[in-house]
Amino acid sequence: MPPSPLHALRRLSIAAACAALFAAQPALALDRIDFLTPGAADDLASALRASSLLLISQSDDQTNAQDLFAAAQAEYAQLLGTLYAAGHYSGVIHILIDGREAASIAPLDAPRRIDVIRVTVEPGPAFRFSRATVAPLARGTTLPDDFRTGGIARSGSIRSAAAAGVEGWRKRGHAKAGVAGQDITANHASALLSASIALDPGPRLRFGPLVIKGQERMRPERIRAIAGLPSGETFSPAELDLAATRLRRTGVFKSVSLAESDTITAPDLLPITATVVEEKTRRYSLGAEVASLDGVTLSGYWMHRNLLGGAERLKVYGEIGNLGAQSSGTDYNLGVTLDRPATFTADTTVGLRAEIGHVDDLDYSADLASVGLTATQIFSTELTARTGFSYDFSKGRDTVSAFEFRNVSLPLGFTWDRRDDATDATRGFFVDAEAKPFLGFGTTDSGVRFTWDARAYHSFATGRITLAARIQGGAIYGASLLGTPRDALFYSGGGGTVRGQPYQSLGVNVLRINNQTSRIGGSYFLGSQLEARLGVTKKIGIVGFYDYGQIGVDGFFTDQSRSHSGAGIGFRYDTGFGPIRLDIAKPVGGTTDGGVQIYVGLGQSF
């Protein structure tokens, strides 16, 4: 006979009262937790301690009796999983709460006070594979090295082998491949494990139509063009990931997910659904850098991510530099770019740009203007190439005479970026190089301008110390020194080249008309920067650095080349989106006696 509603209400009231009683119990301090692993190797003992919920609770100061009791009951499965992951399948686990086995304590008998918890894990022998097979396998599939007869029978190896087998078939176009069955048997007497995994490859499929969901302003046909999913071609997980990457890098979307359909469209098409969430269309950014002699540099931009509904990116940017500089006037520039992804191919971005500016340096002042067409080809997440067409104009005056330069150019460059973090790299390298042939008009010579920038990073001492090195340079061939646009020549000195030396303090002295001498930039530049970065805490770091720069007319390391250097110490504070940088430097080589200089900015110096 079922209980009456009155009896049910009484039971509910009693349960609520018990819950309230337990909730009202005070948090009593725990005396200690003894964690013993007799017979365990050091690495296994460390893994067991690292996975222990009780030890984690203790380190987090969670000593409430109810919390510890709940952690103790969950501890069995947690430690058992760690043993299986290490290949131990006959382990014995005891968790005693003040002498009582935690697993034998009913929830309503949970202790109100806990003084001592004793955890004992006897791992037993490490099992080895007596059999390790996955079948059938697609051609070219590589299984984990330790999934073999005689190898340690770690549970992770079995999962990895099954995943590798499925992925091997998916790479061959069998999108619905999966595990059809498994036969895993442990022989405790001989400490052997037999593991046999059966796979079902399923049919070989082709990409079906791309279904779009969640778009608001983006046109579906442009989403398909940007994704570049090859509909009608053999299914490939790599192509699926690449399509998602292409959509994300437009910056239009807050999130992107591509999901395979559960059903197959006859005869062999697999529809793909792209679910997107769009970002806000507008974005802006402001930045500032300060140097004691070079003054303040302010920069910023405003950007529309999706101007015409096809991920067209309109960007208006500007910069004012050398505000309050001691040796030069104020520079400024204002520009606009319009870029369109997925033009010609899914990985090609074509853009238009226009820029005007003014330069007021110690050696010359000039008004600048430039318009051009750009094209960027993305080969991978690490490698991109670029080209374009540009018309450049400059008109101004140096210390001797007026000048005017006009030229068209066809720059061709590439960037190879394998850094782990663009703003605070600790390993990897970065290479950027460009060749820029230019055709001059009027008094402007023709030639080619080469530039390069190579950086490398290496960390050790568990990542607390990072060594960073940079080599940058440039050269101009074919054009005379005075026939080359002034803004295309090279200077050294300042935060981007040699810290401790005044901004663009190293150039070339040229004998001009009427035996007048003027200083302009050089045709050759070579610079290097070395840094040793030490993490003092998670947020604070210190840096020691040495910078070198050289300017030449007829080549590198010639009699006419001049060089200088600087060194100093820096401080870093990690903000979460890049370190705040404070560098203090002074000249250590060259003829400049500029004293100590200070640089403040966001992000590492390189």
Side-chain angles (χ1 to χ4, degrees):
M1 181 176 179
S4 68
L6 181 58
H7 287 157
L9 181 59
R10 287 176 177 170
R11 290 181 180 178
L12 182 60
S13 299
I14 293 172
C18 290
L21 178 61
F22 286 129
Q25 291 177 1
L28 299 176
L30 174 71
D31 183 17
R32 70 179 191 274
I33 295 179
D34 297 329
F35 197 96
L36 308 176
T37 55
D42 291 344
D43 56 346
L44 177 58
S46 297
L48 289 166
R49 294 183 67 88
S51 66
S52 169
L53 299 175
L54 286 167
L55 293 180
I56 292 173
S57 297
Q58 185 184 44
S59 65
D60 292 340
D61 293 328
Q62 296 177 1
T63 56
N64 180 278
Q66 294 302 307
D67 294 337
L68 290 172
F69 176 68
Q73 292 207 317
E75 183 90 323
Y76 293 97
Q78 183 79 1
L79 296 178
L80 192 63
T82 303
L83 290 174
Y84 285 0
H88 294 262
Y89 296 91
S90 58
V92 178
I93 301 172
H94 291 290
I95 302 173
L96 303 181
I97 298 178
D98 290 330
R100 300 169 62 193
E101 189 73 46
S104 67
I105 302 175
L108 291 180
D109 293 332
R112 298 181 59 188
R113 176 188 178 93
I114 296 178
D115 293 318
V116 178
I117 299 177
R118 184 183 181 89
V119 180
T120 305
V121 183
E122 300 175 8
F127 280 53
R128 294 186 176 273
F129 285 115
S130 61
R131 183 185 184 192
T133 62
V134 179
L137 288 176
R139 189 175 72 254
T141 300
T142 301
L143 297 179
D145 292 337
D146 52 358
F147 186 75
R148 56 179 174 80
T149 300
I152 299 296
R154 299 180 177 89
S155 60
S157 300
I158 301 172
R159 289 192 297 269
S160 297
V166 170
E167 188 62 18
W169 281 112
R170 283 174 57 81
K171 288 179 179 179
R172 293 285 175 179
H174 297 258
K176 296 302 181 183
V179 175
Q182 58 183 2
D183 182 8
I184 301 176
T185 305
N187 187 327
H188 291 269
S190 56
L192 295 175
L193 188 78
S194 172
S196 178
I197 301 170
L199 301 180
D200 178 14
R204 195 164 189 254
L205 302 176
R206 295 179 296 148
F207 281 117
L210 180 63
V211 180
I212 312 296
K213 291 184 178 180
Q215 81 282 3
E216 298 177 10
R217 293 169 293 273
M218 277 288 291
R219 302 192 305 273
E221 65 272 16
R222 282 293 295 156
I223 294 179
R224 294 187 179 93
I226 294 168
L229 198 68
S231 298
E233 296 186 12
T234 301
F235 171 85
S236 166
E239 286 289 346
L240 197 63
D241 293 341
L242 180 57
T245 298
R246 288 167 175 154
L247 291 172
R248 293 187 186 106
R249 73 188 177 205
T250 63
V252 174
F253 304 107
K254 185 179 301 182
S255 67
V256 175
S257 66
L258 268 62
E260 305 160 23
S261 175
D262 293 332
T263 59
I264 300 171
T265 301
D268 59 355
L269 295 179
L270 181 65
I272 304 295
T273 299
T275 303
V276 299
V277 178
E278 295 183 11
E279 281 276 14
K280 294 180 179 179
T281 56
R282 295 168 180 82
R283 178 183 176 183
Y284 66 88
S285 175
L286 299 173
E289 291 196 7
V290 181
S292 55
L293 294 182
D294 306 337
V296 178
T297 298
L298 302 176
S299 61
Y301 69 79
W302 174 91
M303 181 173 64
H304 196 297
R305 308 174 194 263
N306 189 18
L307 186 64
L308 303 174
E312 300 86 0
R313 178 176 297 189
L314 175 66
K315 184 177 182 179
V316 180
Y317 60 91
E319 180 178 282
I320 302 176
N322 297 340
L323 288 168
Q326 298 184 21
S327 60
S328 64
T330 300
D331 302 340
Y332 62 82
N333 72 300
L334 178 66
V336 59
T337 61
L338 178 62
D339 295 320
R340 182 180 188 270
T343 303
F344 306 130
T345 76
D347 295 310
T348 306
T349 297
V350 172
L352 299 171
R353 66 169 186 83
E355 183 175 313
I356 59 173
H358 177 77
V359 175
D360 189 358
D361 287 339
L362 179 65
D363 300 331
Y364 74 95
S365 62
D367 295 318
L368 312 173
S370 178
V371 294
L373 174 70
T374 61
T376 302
Q377 181 68 32
I378 301 174
F379 295 104
S380 69
T381 56
E382 300 173 347
L383 182 63
T384 62
R386 60 188 182 274
T387 187
F389 179 83
S390 178
Y391 172 79
D392 301 301
F393 171 84
S394 64
K395 183 177 182 179
R397 183 177 183 84
D398 58 26
T399 57
V400 175
S401 63
F403 58 79
E404 180 177 301
F405 295 103
R406 295 177 292 127
N407 70 86
V408 294
S409 60
L410 187 68
L412 177 63
F414 75 92
T415 301
W416 190 12
D417 190 350
R418 297 196 63 181
R419 295 173 294 179
D420 59 339
D421 188 324
T423 60
D424 191 9
T426 59
R427 63 180 182 274
F429 63 84
F430 170 92
V431 178
D432 183 87
E434 182 178 88
K436 183 180 180 180
F438 58 91
L439 175 65
F441 302 102
T443 59
T444 309
D445 289 347
S446 300
V448 58
R449 184 178 191 263
F450 295 98
T451 56
W452 61 88
D453 185 353
R455 313 172 190 182
Y457 309 86
H458 177 69
S459 293
F460 55 94
T462 64
R464 291 185 63 243
I465 300 176
T466 299
L467 298 181
R470 179 185 190 184
I471 298 177
Q472 54 182 325
I476 297 173
Y477 296 99
S480 66
L481 191 64
L482 294 177
T484 302
R486 295 290 189 269
D487 57 309
L489 296 174
F490 302 105
Y491 289 88
S492 180
T497 51
V498 179
R499 288 162 289 183
Q501 298 285 350
Y503 177 68
Q504 293 191 352
S505 58
L506 186 61
V508 175
N509 293 322
V510 180
L511 186 64
R512 304 284 294 280
I513 57 176
N514 299 325
N515 291 324
Q516 298 182 77
T517 300
S518 67
R519 199 184 74 108
I520 62 176
S523 301
Y524 295 84
F525 163 66
L526 188 64
S528 64
Q529 294 176 308
L530 298 174
E531 287 193 352
R533 304 169 182 171
L534 170 64
V536 179
T537 68
K538 289 185 178 180
K539 292 288 187 179
I540 299 174
I542 59 174
V543 176
F545 57 85
Y546 173 83
D547 299 347
Y548 170 86
Q550 179 194 105
I551 295 294
V553 177
D554 56 348
F556 303 107
F557 302 105
T558 67
D559 293 339
Q560 299 187 49
S561 299
R562 299 174 61 206
S563 64
H564 62 177
S565 56
I569 188 170
F571 301 90
R572 305 290 185 264
Y573 180 80
D574 187 6
T575 62
F577 53 85
I580 295 176
R581 179 179 77 253
L582 170 62
D583 287 336
I584 304 171
K586 68 181 298 292
V588 295
T591 59
T592 302
D593 185 15
V596 173
Q597 298 195 45
I598 299 174
Y599 306 87
V600 179
L602 181 63
Q604 295 285 4
S605 56
F606 64 90

